[in-house]
Amino acid sequence: MGTITTLRCISCERAFSQHEIEYHCPTCGPRRGTLEVLYDYDGLKQTLSRDTFGGLRDERTMWRYLPLLPIEDRRFIQPLRVGWTPVHPFPALAAEYGLADLYIKDDGQNPTASYKDRASALVVIKAQELKRKVVACASTGNTASSLAGFAAATDLDPIIFVPKAAPEAKVAQLLVYGAKVFVVVGPYDVTYDLATEAVETFGWYSRSDGSNPYIIEGKKTAAFELAEQLEWALPDIVLVSVGDGSVISSICKGFDELLTLGLIERAPQVVGVQAAGSAPIAAAFEGYTGGEVSFADIEAQTIADSICVGKPRDIIKAVKYVAKNNGWYITVTDEEIVAAIALMARRTGVFPEPAGAAPFAGLIKLVEEGKLSGMRVAVMVTGNGLKDIANAQKTVGPPIVIEPSLAAVKEHL
Ligand SMILES: *Cc1c(COP(=O)(O)O)cnc(C)c1O
Ligand SMILES: [Zn+2]
């Protein structure tokens, strides 16, 4: 279990001890003052090698990385199998696109069918260690369903705030898992502010993305897995979709920790893919020249509900970490995202929700621009397609309806 040395403010770099602070630097406030969780890396360097890194428990879940996770009490680890999601190679498609390799890491295969499970699994443990009763979050849908799913078998009471536009399947998940659900008449950014107010007023434990520093700790495990699953031959490029900016920050942090520990010599370049109508992080990155990050909130609009975020809460890390990583940002249109859902499903068998398809749309775009030729590329699929069938249906025609006769079959062959 990880020995945390400090929680450090991402903006002013002031260091706090783990138990003196919960969510953000008091000077820099929320968003600018999000906290980085730092471990005793010198100590870890002594004990961790490529051979021992994931082998501490014979565990095909994200819990194989306990030395780099902020868990104090293993009793709270749930039996649900989270992480260690498959990495599929697609050599023929790679050749067609002029790539050396193409991999898809399918995080839609987590227990509640999204990448968010990595964070919720961890935050639910922290909540129990801290003897909290209520865990709460604002969510476009997946953070919520993962929190509800991982709280289900515990004594914690999950309280969830989702925007009116959340896809039906995600809201159904919440209700089935038994969470208290508030559907807020307003967009995600407004929903988030309300949830924050409620958390502060009622003293709940927050799992809203960009609030709790442990969220990124859970999410970074996908980077560790990619290294191990590809036997330390990491790709050149990792593409991932971006809303609040937590997932991309976590992937960058994961690779950065592998560098710090001397386990890899070079990190993949991480490319953030935003929807064109919801791209404030890409815009902030564009104008970033080091030092303080300047940004502007927008009114976001995209069919990819999971990344429809105009006021991203982890924007500072998402800009600074990607700059440090040497990565970059691109945007794709809703039309490109919708097309990528069907294209990806047909060519790979992996069915993504719109936000899960966005990095594949980004891949196509970069391939067409000739920016990836000869490279080894991994695409992170963050959510399963069954979470939002309404948008998937836009990409396909209707099925063939027939009378129950062979003649009818023949007629349509
Ligand atoms: C949350 C989410 C994202 C984006 O993650 P952020 O941390 O908000 O940037 C992408 N895809 C899916 C499916 C998600 O649920
Ligand atoms: Zn600060």
Side-chain angles (χ1 to χ4, degrees):
M1 292 174 275
T3 309
I4 294 175
T5 54
T6 49
L7 303 182
R8 185 174 66 187
C9 173
I10 187 68
S11 286
C12 73
E13 299 191 354
R14 189 170 144 201
F16 303 87
S17 81
Q18 190 189 349
H19 300 291
E20 88 185 274
I21 193 165
E22 193 138 57
Y23 299 128
H24 50 75
C25 167
T27 314
C28 302
R31 301 183 79 194
R32 284 213 179 268
T34 54
L35 302 170
E36 299 180 282
V37 180
L38 303 178
Y39 300 83
D40 172 20
Y41 296 109
D42 289 337
L44 286 166
K45 243 176 156 164
Q46 307 302 314
T47 55
L48 291 182
S49 65
R50 286 184 175 186
D51 289 336
T52 58
F53 183 64
L56 296 152
R57 292 176 64 181
D58 184 19
E59 183 69 85
R60 291 186 168 254
T61 68
M62 63 180 252
W63 307 122
R64 59 200 278 116
Y65 305 116
L66 283 184
L68 280 154
L69 291 174
I71 291 176
E72 284 164 26
D73 196 337
R74 294 177 185 217
R75 277 180 314 151
F76 296 124
I77 295 179
Q78 302 221 7
L80 292 175
R81 189 198 54 79
V82 57
W84 203 252
T85 54
V87 178
H88 308 299
F90 293 98
L93 200 53
E96 192 179 313
Y97 291 164
L99 310 171
D101 286 304
L102 176 61
Y103 301 100
I104 290 178
K105 185 160 176 62
D106 185 8
D107 255 56
Q109 292 199 30
N110 277 307
T112 80
S114 86
Y115 197 101
K116 300 294 198 293
D117 283 347
R118 296 177 184 276
S120 296
L122 184 52
V123 169
V124 161
I125 292 169
K126 291 314 285 179
Q128 292 174 93
E129 286 178 358
L130 296 164
K131 301 194 165 54
R132 307 296 281 265
K133 295 272 177 288
V134 175
V135 283
C137 73
S139 170
T140 55
N142 286 335
T143 287
S145 45
S146 75
L147 181 60
F150 277 87
T154 71
D155 292 333
L156 294 165
D157 295 322
I159 300 183
I160 308 292
F161 297 79
V162 288
K164 191 107 199 311
E168 244 179 302
K170 297 182 185 181
V171 178
Q173 272 185 302
L174 296 174
L175 296 167
V176 168
Y177 288 132
K180 185 177 204 74
V181 182
F182 293 110
V183 173
V184 180
V185 185
Y188 170 67
D189 302 306
V190 171
T191 303
Y192 192 108
D193 288 332
L194 175 62
T196 305
E197 222 184 316
V199 159
E200 284 168 3
T201 305
F202 304 114
W204 301 334
Y205 195 55
S206 175
R207 188 262 176 263
S208 295
D209 282 295
S211 65
N212 188 318
Y214 301 121
I215 288 168
I216 282 190
E217 297 311 292
K219 289 181 177 178
K220 75 184 179 187
T221 53
F224 297 165
E225 290 172 16
L226 203 57
E228 280 201 284
Q229 289 171 312
L230 296 178
E231 292 173 342
W232 300 96
L234 277 163
D236 302 300
I237 302 283
V238 174
L239 289 142
V240 64
S241 62
V242 179
D244 268 310
S246 292
V247 170
I248 194 166
S249 300
S250 73
I251 291 171
C252 290
K253 184 174 193 261
F255 289 138
D256 198 52
E257 287 186 337
L258 294 178
L259 283 171
T260 303
L261 294 169
L263 296 173
I264 58 172
E265 266 136 46
R266 197 171 58 93
Q269 287 180 281
V270 180
V271 179
V273 183
Q274 292 216 281
S278 177
I281 298 182
F285 186 81
E286 189 73 26
Y288 182 66
T289 52
E292 190 159 322
V293 177
S294 44
F295 60 84
D297 297 335
I298 60 156
E299 246 174 68
Q301 203 153 35
T302 168
I303 56 116
D305 67 290
S306 297
I307 51 172
C308 189
V309 183
K311 190 176 175 183
R313 311 293 163 152
D314 244 332
I315 188 167
I316 308 297
K317 282 182 191 164
V319 170
K320 287 193 169 183
Y321 283 6
V322 172
K324 185 177 177 198
N325 164 275
N326 256 325
W328 73 97
Y329 283 89
I330 58 171
T331 63
V332 292
T333 64
D334 278 3
E335 292 69 34
E336 288 167 328
I337 291 172
V338 169
I341 296 173
L343 181 63
M344 187 173 192
R346 283 165 197 198
R347 300 305 304 275
T348 71
V350 176
F351 176 21
E353 68 159 88
F360 201 81
L363 169 77
I364 303 292
K365 191 166 180 170
L366 292 177
V367 164
E368 281 168 0
E369 291 169 0
K371 294 204 174 122
L372 300 179
S373 73
M375 290 196 182
R376 303 181 59 238
V377 179
V379 173
M380 198 65 80
V381 172
T382 41
N384 188 290
L386 294 176
K387 291 223 175 217
D388 178 5
I389 57 165
N391 278 306
Q393 280 165 333
K394 288 181 191 162
T395 69
V396 291
I400 305 159
V401 180
I402 54 167
E403 294 302 320
S405 76
L406 198 57
V409 175
K410 271 192 185 155
E411 197 181 313
H412 291 282
L413 284 177

